[in-house]
Amino acid sequence: MHHELYVFVHKIGMTPAEALRSATSLVAKRFQFTDRGRLAEGLNADLLLVEGNPLEDIDATLNIRGVWRDGNLCSTYAAKLEAGVEPLLG
């Protein structure tokens, strides 16, 4: 997915915001998933926490700090976050 985001921005000419929407809310809309694809109260959401601003530099999506699935911090990242390990890549 990171490679696709890179291609969207650097080869196709999308803005980082357009590339991120194409991987999240537009997919949910296309498949008629009304309970996901955007951040809003009451919707299902997994969360990827990154270092940096992917709206400025899409490659910031590679610098992963934490992953939440179904509202729970994934165990791989929990131990690293508690230990303060940097950087947490993939």
Side-chain angles (χ1 to χ4, degrees), residues 58-89:
I58 199 65
D59 293 336
T61 62
L62 294 169
N63 201 6
I64 299 170
R65 297 294 186 207
V67 176
W68 283 259
R69 177 109 175 130
D70 297 323
N72 299 307
L73 181 61
C74 293
S75 61
T76 300
Y77 294 96
K80 291 178 182 179
L81 283 173
E82 290 170 4
V85 174
E86 291 186 24
L88 299 178
L89 295 176

Side-chain angles (χ1 to χ4, degrees), residues 1-89:
M1 188 69 201
H2 299 289
H3 180 70
E4 290 177 16
L5 291 171
Y6 175 88
V7 169
F8 288 162
V9 172
H10 296 288
K11 303 294 184 187
I12 295 175
M14 289 178 152
T15 66
E18 290 169 332
L20 291 168
R21 271 194 301 277
S22 74
T24 55
S25 61
L26 292 178
V27 172
K29 183 177 180 180
R30 174 68 175 104
F31 287 102
Q32 299 178 352
F33 296 143
T34 58
D35 64 336
R36 65 194 76 214
R38 37 192 187 95
L39 294 176
E41 187 175 344
L43 297 183
N44 291 321
D46 298 330
L47 181 67
L48 176 71
L49 177 65
V50 299
E51 178 81 21
N53 185 348
L55 295 175
E56 294 174 4
D57 178 10
I58 199 65
D59 293 336
T61 62
L62 294 169
N63 201 6
I64 299 170
R65 297 294 186 207
V67 176
W68 283 259
R69 177 109 175 130
D70 297 323
N72 299 307
L73 181 61
C74 293
S75 61
T76 300
Y77 294 96
K80 291 178 182 179
L81 283 173
E82 290 170 4
V85 174
E86 291 186 24
L88 299 178
L89 295 176

